[in-house]
Amino acid sequence: MCLISRFAARLLIFVYLLVVGQTAHAGEKITIAAATDLKFALDEIVVLFSKAHPADRVETIYGSSGKFQAQIRQGAPFDLYFSADIAYSRALKDEGFAASEVQPYAVGRIVLWSPKLDTGKMSLTDLVDPSIRKIAIANPKHAPYGKRAEEALKAAGMWEKVEAKLVYGENVAQAAQFVQSGNAQVGIIALSLVVSPELARQGSYALVLDTLHQPLEQGFIVTKRAAGNMLAQAFARFMAGQEARAVMSRYGFLLPAEVK
Amino acid sequence: MESAFSAADLSAIWLTFKLAAVVTVILLLVGTPIAWWLARTRSFWKGPVGAVVALPIVLPPTVIGFYLLVAMGPNGPLGQLTQALGVGLLPFTFAGLVVGSVFYSLPFVVQPLQNAFEAIPERALETAATLRASAWDAFFSVALPLARPGLLTASVLGFAHTVGEFGVVLMIGGNIPDRTRVVSVQIYDHVEAMEYAAAHWLSAGMVVFAFLVLLALYTLNPTGKRK
């Protein structure tokens, strides 16, 4: 009996230390929820930002824009929200979940990408080729890149012809992964992913004409919970600076016109 | 009020039940010999084989989904095999989901069967043998009837667990209507697209289904009945 209660006491202390022990940290911390197309670019920007703020911590979480938007409405602990479709950020702003204006930060592009086929000279009309059995796109229902891929296929008159070949990733990164693993031959995915060091050596890509779809205008907000958070404000300013813009344009994003 | 389920929802429900039914039948065929062997053997391999069968209980579905995606791809061993057999590649197909679900639900069928077989007294089988029943005969006319509660539990859990699958399907399914878009994925899509009403209908349906299945199991198969 005594042994058991001593064991239980130790167990409680152990759990207590596990929960409480990790909170000791000198600087501030912010969490950014961002669309998956930013995975590589934003990681680089965070590294640059952290050099100027060595005591602070910036945490990034990548996923589909729609999911994060719903989570922020439910009180998710995100300080900044980068959506692949600026409309998602605007909706949150209109509903009072933002502590800043909606900041446009980039315009994305979609590409045809394949590790095996030479996509260099391909266009959407080549997708009917029988050797292409599966084509991966992000789910148009809630992923902006998937929506734009659908629009482009429809505008090119190809949707009916290739619909049976389409497989849908939960987000644009999963669509890329379907192609990377060889299970789909071609993907219509984000330019910012295929120029990343990870994918750049693994294949070729062709830009999809941006006249075929609505622009992939992207925007971020500082969320309401981060109002007054200096670190979040500093990161928002850093995004507009030269260093961050250089990274963004290296990843193939078009930048919003300079505002002086 | 509009009809509760859209055509896409109904198609997902039908697909889910079809998948679970096929998987349950395959699992009973594959799982019964494994469970019988595990229950009766004194081999050194009992431990390792039992552990492998139980792996999906512990492993995150993402691990199973990731390895299956790679293994069933054009460069993976399973993918090479299916291509050589002329069936093509399994990811994004109904057959691929069946393969994934068989792995994923295997312990839920094998373990109840194994327990049931282990509970059969050795004497019952010995008696059958003295009556000159062949091993097959003894298995079908003595062991299986005695293991009936275990068989029922195994079928119900195998079926229900496959219906409740999400992670593996999300990773190898490709979300294709009528082929790989099962109910759990359809709910996820509804939530992502903020169609909460549609998500509620399907989710509540799943809760009712799960409750009824377990209720039936516990009513038909009271655990205290033995002896």
Side-chain angles (χ1 to χ4, degrees), chain B residues 39-108:
Chain B
R40 319 249 36 118
T41 185
R42 295 208 178 86
S43 154
F44 159 80
W45 291 102
K46 177 175 173 157
V49 171
V52 168
V53 167
L55 272 180
I57 297 180
V58 180
L59 287 177
T62 40
V63 173
I64 303 173
F66 171 58
Y67 278 146
L68 280 175
L69 187 69
V70 175
M72 301 195 304
N75 305 314
L78 270 177
Q80 306 258 337
L81 180 72
T82 53
Q83 280 177 314
L85 294 174
V87 245
L89 292 173
L90 290 180
F92 318 131
T93 64
F94 181 74
L97 288 199
V98 170
V99 172
S101 308
V102 163
F103 276 107
Y104 183 61
S105 296
L106 184 66
F108 292 84

Side-chain angles (χ1 to χ4, degrees), chain A residues 64 66-70 73-74 88 116 133-134 139 141-142 163-170 174 177-178 181-185, chain B residues 69-70 72-75 83 89 91-93 170-177 179 181 186 188-196:
Chain A
S64 79
K67 175 167 62 198
F68 287 141
Q69 189 200 36
R73 283 203 184 91
Q74 305 301 328
Y88 287 61
K116 286 266 167 62
R133 291 184 304 276
K134 293 277 185 268
N139 195 331
K141 203 166 158 186
H142 49 72
E163 196 181 353
K165 297 182 179 186
L166 292 176
V167 295
Y168 304 98
E170 193 263 317
Q174 199 194 18
Q177 171 223 320
F178 284 161
S181 63
N183 288 302
Q185 288 72 41
Chain B
L69 187 69
V70 175
M72 301 195 304
N75 305 314
Q83 280 177 314
L89 292 173
F92 318 131
T93 64
L170 191 73
M171 291 185 75
I172 65 172
N175 208 338
I176 304 168
R179 276 187 285 168
R181 187 181 291 165
Q186 179 78 354
Y188 183 78
D189 278 354
H190 280 318
V191 176
E192 292 266 286
M194 280 159 289
E195 297 162 353
Y196 286 174

